[in-house]
Amino acid sequence: GAVVSQHPSRVICKSGTSVKIECRSLDFQATTMFWYRQFPKQSLMLMATSNEGSKATYEQGVEKDKFLINHASLTLSTLTVTSAHPEDSSFYICSARAGTNFYGYTFGSGTRLTVV
Amino acid sequence: AQSVSQHNHHVILSEAASLELGCNYSYGGTVNLFWYVQYPGQHLQLLLKYFSGDPLVKGIKGFEAEFIKSKFSFNLRKPSVQWSDTAEYFCAVTVSGNTPLVFGKGTRLSVIA
């Protein structure tokens, strides 16, 4: 079945630094990837939708200059949290879908970001 | 925009008890519905999905869900839960192949011996 690899699984960084999270589709081409953020004991909140080769579409309230998303190839999307602050500490999850087959929403295992 | 409501925040059941988790969505058109499970420390896994056809959908691990269009509901059921079903359960909806999933807030299920 479709597999999405996300790493790192955990990262601790100092306030003011940047962190990059990678999301790879291992056995399919992901034309669309979604980035979610999950706060403790809450649901997944969509941050942005990225389509290969074009700019990401951000949800209202998500700072695009802070959360940089790149989807340069059909198998890789990256989320960079720039100038991270403690309030950015969260669980970030990517999801990939192949083409127009929306039967196949596959999730990565998530990245726990802690900013100290 | 569509939204999803899960009424139960935390459900505690004894083993072998029957389970029903509520899920309601708000959208007047055609929807595609999903239930995901997140075991402690693990990533989201698809339990079952509904796109069309028989409104009673059977998923993995003995779970099933029934789509009732008139009630905008897609409740998850299992006749007899096990300790290993302890997890967070998320209902999600999308309206087309080009839109992302919208999740409910989740229901934490704790199964005790």
Side-chain angles (χ1 to χ4, degrees), chain B:
Chain B
Q2 64 270 28
S3 65
V4 178
S5 297
Q6 290 183 245
H7 321 293
N8 312 104
H9 177 63
H10 188 192
V11 173
I12 303 173
L13 294 174
S14 298
E15 278 194 311
S18 64
L19 169 73
E20 181 160 3
L21 301 181
C23 173
N24 286 89
Y25 64 92
S26 65
Y27 184 73
T30 301
V31 293
N32 304 290
L33 297 154
F34 304 76
W35 274 98
Y36 284 86
V37 60
Q38 188 175 29
Y39 297 104
Q42 297 188 28
H43 60 88
L44 286 169
Q45 298 175 39
L46 180 66
L47 272 180
L48 48 80
K49 56 184 182 283
Y50 170 81
F51 293 107
S52 62
D54 188 345
L56 184 61
V57 180
K58 294 193 182 298
I60 61 172
K61 305 185 180 186
F63 287 91
E64 65 178 31
E66 184 175 12
F67 171 53
I68 303 179
K69 189 175 182 179
S70 61
K71 295 184 177 180
F72 297 90
S73 69
F74 190 56
N75 292 353
L76 181 72
R77 301 195 292 249
K78 185 171 184 178
S80 176
V81 295
Q82 302 172 322
W83 177 82
S84 57
D85 292 325
T86 295
E88 190 91 19
Y89 292 81
F90 294 96
C91 181
V93 63
T94 184
V95 299
S96 78
N98 292 323
T99 57
L101 292 174
V102 174
F103 287 86
K105 291 189 175 182
T107 297
R108 183 152 59 102
L109 172 65
S110 298
V111 180
I112 56 178

Side-chain angles (χ1 to χ4, degrees), chain A:
Chain A
V3 176
V4 171
S5 172
Q6 183 176 345
H7 74 273
S9 58
R10 292 178 183 271
V11 58
I12 301 173
C13 70
K14 291 184 177 179
S15 186
T17 61
S18 296
V19 174
K20 180 185 284 188
I21 302 170
E22 291 190 349
C23 182
R24 293 180 184 273
S25 56
L26 297 186
D27 50 3
F28 67 100
Q29 293 183 328
T31 53
T32 304
M33 287 190 175
F34 307 99
W35 286 94
Y36 292 85
R37 183 173 179 177
Q38 186 179 24
F39 292 98
K41 298 184 180 181
Q42 294 191 32
S43 186
L44 284 77
M45 301 300 296
L46 179 68
M47 298 175 66
T49 301
S50 74
N51 291 298
E52 184 267 337
S54 60
K55 289 185 177 180
T57 302
Y58 290 81
E59 295 298 299
Q60 191 173 9
V62 178
E63 299 175 59
K64 61 181 180 182
D65 293 331
K66 181 169 188 60
F67 298 100
L68 300 179
I69 291 173
N70 183 279
H71 193 165
S73 78
L74 286 170
T75 59
L76 174 65
S77 177
T78 60
L79 167 66
T80 302
V81 183
T82 63
S83 187
H85 289 98
E87 58 265 30
D88 298 325
S89 298
S90 191
F91 194 60
Y92 294 87
I93 305 174
C94 69
S95 172
R97 192 194 70 214
T100 56
N101 174 18
F102 63 87
Y103 293 70
Y105 287 104
T106 304
F107 287 84
S109 54
T111 298
R112 170 76 60 196
L113 170 63
T114 303
V115 185
V116 298

